[in-house]
C-alpha cells in the first residue's frame, strides 16, 4: 500500500472583525483550500507555509493548535493523508501559481462553504471556523424560524463555551403567553448586550436588527418550514419540560397564527434578515440542515 501526505491550512484574513477565507479555483475547475505534498525533510508546518507561498505568493502564520486530517484513496492501493492547520495571512501581494491555480478569492464562511467542491474541505472549513469563533468571539445571537432547534443548540453552545445564555422567550412572555412591549424587550436586550460575553437565543424580528448591529456572531438556522413544523409537533407530543420559556406558558397545540408564521417565515422575514446581515459587520454561520447542526454539536463537544 502506497502512502502519501500533503499539508495545508485554512487561511484567513480579518476585515472589520469578520473572517474571510482564502479559496482557490484550480486549473481543473474545482474549488479548494491551499495544500500540497510534503517534500523531503520538511515538517508539516513547513510544507503548509511553502505550499501557500507557492500557490498564492502570500505569507501565513500557522496555528498548530488546530490540526485536522483528511484521509482518502486517490487511486488504487494508495492512501493519502491531508493535514490542515489554521493560518493567518500576513501579506497582501497575491499572485496565482500559473501551473495550478486559476483564481484566488477571499470569501465569508457561508460563501466559502457553499463554493468548495469537496465535502471533506467543507468539513475542515467548518471546524476551523468554529475553532476561530470559540477562541476569539464572545458575543453570539441565534436566530431563525421557531422549531428549527435554536434553543436546543444554544444550550450546547453555552455548556462548552461557558458564555452566559439568555432566552428571549423568557424575557418576552409571561402569564400564559402574554407579551411585553417591543420597547421593553429592546431595553432588556440592550442591557444584556452591555456585557462582554453573551449568547442570545431567539428570533423576534421586530428587535432583530438591533441585535445584529451589536453582536459579533450570528448563527442563523435556515431550515425548511416542514422541518421546523415537525420540530414543534414533536416537542408538543413529547410533553418535554422547557426551561427556555416561562412555566406559565403551556404549549399544548399549534395555533393558526404560529403555524402561519412557520410556513411563511422565509417569505416574510428573509429579505430583511439578509439585508441586515450584509449591512453590519458580523460573522455569520448559516445552518441549513439538521445534519449540519448535529455535526457542529459533535465538534464543539
Amino acid at each position: 500500500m502506497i502512502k502519501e501526505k500533503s499539508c495545508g491550512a485554512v487561511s484567513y484574513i480579518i476585515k472589520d472583525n469578520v473572517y474571510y477565507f482564502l479559496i482557490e479555483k484550480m486549473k481543473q475547475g474545482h474549488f479548494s483550500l491551499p495544500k500540497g505534498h510534503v517534500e523531503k525533510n520538511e515538517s508539516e508546518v513547513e510544507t503548509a507555509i511553502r505550499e501557500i507561498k507557492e500557490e498564492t505568493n502570500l505569507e501565513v502564520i500557522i496555528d498548530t493548535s488546530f490540526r485536522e486530517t483528511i484521509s482518502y484513496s486517490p487511486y488504487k492501493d494508495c492512501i493519502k493523508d491531508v493535514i490542515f492547520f489554521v493560518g493567518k495571512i500576513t501579506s497582501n501581494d497575491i499572485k496565482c501559481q500559473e501551473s495550478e491555480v486559476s483564481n484566488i478569492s477571499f470569501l465569508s464562511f457561508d460563501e466559502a462553504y457553499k463554493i468548495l467542491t469537496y465535502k471533506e474541505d467543507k468539513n475542515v472549513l467548518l471546524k476551523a471556523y468554529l475553532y476561530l469563533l470559540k477562541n476569539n468571539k464572545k458575543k453570539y445571537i441565534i436566530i431563525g424560524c421557531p422549531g428549527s432547534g435554536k434553543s436546543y443548540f444554544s444550550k450546547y453552545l453555552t455548556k462548552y463555551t461557558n458564555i452566559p445564555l439568555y432566552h428571549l422567550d423568557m424575557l418576552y412572555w409571561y402569564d400564559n403567553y402574554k407579551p411585553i412591549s417591543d420597547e421593553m424587550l429592546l431595553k432588556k436586550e440592550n442591557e444584556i448586550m452591555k456585557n462582554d460575553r453573551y449568547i442570545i437565543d431567539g428570533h423576534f424580528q421586530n428587535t432583530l436588527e438591533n441585535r445584529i448591529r451589536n453582536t459579533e456572531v450570528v448563527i442563523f438556522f435556515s431550515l425548511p418550514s416542514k422541518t421546523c413544523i415537525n420540530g414543534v409537533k414533536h416537542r408538543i407530543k413529547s410533553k418535554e419540560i422547557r426551561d427556555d420559556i416561562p412555566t406559565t406558558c403551556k404549549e399544548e397545540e399549534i395555533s393558526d397564527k404560529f403555524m402561519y408564521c412557520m410556513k411563511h417565515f422565509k417569505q416574510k422575514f428573509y429579505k430583511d434578515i439578509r439585508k441586515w446581515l450584509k449591512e453590519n459587520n458580523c460573522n455569520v454561520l448559516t445552518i441549513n440542515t439538521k445534519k449540519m447542526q448535529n455535526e457542529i454539536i459533535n465538534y464543539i463537544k
Side-chain angles (χ1 to χ4, degrees):
M1 181 68 71
I2 299 171
K3 290 192 174 183
E4 296 182 357
K5 186 177 183 180
S6 291
C7 297
V10 179
S11 306
Y12 67 92
I13 59 172
I14 301 173
K15 183 179 179 181
D16 297 326
N17 296 315
V18 177
Y19 291 104
Y20 293 92
F21 297 95
L22 188 158
I23 304 297
E24 299 176 337
K25 184 177 182 182
M26 311 307 289
K27 291 290 185 179
Q28 300 95 320
H30 65 279
F31 292 88
S32 181
L33 301 168
K35 60 184 180 297
H37 286 92
V38 177
E39 295 184 354
K40 188 176 181 180
N41 298 322
E42 272 188 334
S43 69
E44 294 175 348
V45 170
E46 288 170 340
T47 299
I49 292 173
R50 175 183 56 76
E51 284 292 337
I52 293 167
K53 180 67 175 178
E54 289 179 356
E55 294 180 4
T56 69
N57 196 44
L58 295 171
E59 306 285 344
V60 64
I61 297 174
I62 297 294
D63 181 353
T64 57
S65 296
F66 178 91
R67 184 182 183 278
E68 286 289 324
T69 302
I70 296 173
S71 296
Y72 65 98
S73 178
Y75 53 88
K76 187 177 179 181
D77 296 327
C78 176
I79 295 295
K80 183 174 184 178
D81 290 337
V82 184
I83 288 82
F84 281 101
F85 302 100
V86 162
K88 183 177 182 180
I89 294 169
T90 58
S91 61
N92 55 20
D93 187 15
I94 300 175
K95 184 179 180 181
C96 293
Q97 185 180 27
E98 292 184 2
S99 61
E100 294 189 25
V101 183
S102 61
N103 188 44
I104 295 169
S105 302
F106 284 97
L107 304 176
S108 68
F109 168 78
D110 279 355
E111 293 169 331
Y113 188 85
K114 183 177 181 180
I115 203 172
L116 281 170
T117 302
Y118 300 114
K119 185 178 187 300
E120 293 81 5
D121 285 352
K122 292 177 184 284
N123 288 341
V124 169
L125 175 67
L126 175 59
K127 290 179 179 180
Y129 190 43
L130 293 169
Y131 170 82
L132 291 168
L133 294 179
K134 183 178 178 182
N135 284 279
N136 299 292
K137 303 299 180 183
K138 306 299 181 186
K139 299 178 180 180
Y140 295 77
I141 65 171
I142 303 176
I143 67 173
C145 182
S148 57
K150 300 186 301 297
S151 298
Y152 175 81
F153 179 87
S154 69
K155 293 168 188 176
Y156 277 99
L157 189 60
T158 190
K159 180 177 180 180
Y160 293 105
T161 61
N162 292 316
I163 298 175
L165 171 60
Y166 303 88
H167 298 292
L168 291 186
D169 277 334
M170 290 292 288
L171 304 179
Y172 185 72
W173 301 107
Y174 70 99
D175 195 17
N176 195 22
Y177 287 105
K178 290 182 180 178
I180 63 174
S181 66
D182 288 340
E183 291 76 14
M184 182 60 69
L185 179 62
L186 188 65
K187 182 178 179 180
K188 291 186 176 186
E189 290 175 7
N190 286 333
E191 285 298 314
I192 294 170
M193 291 187 293
K194 288 178 181 179
N195 299 317
D196 58 2
R197 303 166 71 247
Y198 59 76
I199 299 168
I200 301 177
D201 156 47
H203 192 82
F204 292 88
Q205 186 87 358
N206 289 348
T207 60
L208 178 56
E209 184 180 9
N210 181 61
R211 272 173 281 136
I212 290 176
R213 191 185 305 119
N214 288 284
T215 197
E216 296 176 329
V217 182
V218 177
I219 299 177
F220 179 22
F221 277 74
S222 180
L223 275 63
S225 297
K226 185 176 180 179
T227 301
C228 299
I229 292 168
N230 287 339
V232 174
K233 286 181 177 178
H234 173 76
R235 190 169 69 198
I236 294 173
K237 185 177 180 180
S238 64
K239 300 184 184 299
E240 65 180 68
I241 298 174
R242 298 178 61 185
D243 57 2
D244 55 357
I245 197 166
T247 56
T248 57
C249 297
K250 304 297 183 181
E251 193 173 41
E252 297 177 347
E253 62 180 12
I254 302 177
S255 68
D256 291 342
K257 183 177 181 180
F258 196 32
M259 180 65 77
Y260 181 86
C261 174
M262 289 188 286
K263 283 184 176 180
H264 300 279
F265 189 88
K266 184 173 183 178
Q267 297 93 314
K268 286 173 62 68
F269 299 135
Y270 270 36
K271 183 178 179 180
D272 282 340
I273 294 169
R274 295 299 185 192
K275 175 176 176 285
W276 296 333
L277 291 176
K278 186 176 181 180
E279 291 175 349
N280 294 278
N281 294 319
C282 52
N283 296 277
V284 181
L285 169 55
T286 301
I287 299 176
N288 295 302
T289 64
K290 284 293 184 182
K291 182 179 179 181
M292 185 178 183
Q293 172 190 295
N294 292 333
E295 287 174 349
I296 294 171
I297 288 173
N298 289 334
Y299 180 69
I300 63 176
K301 284 166 66 176

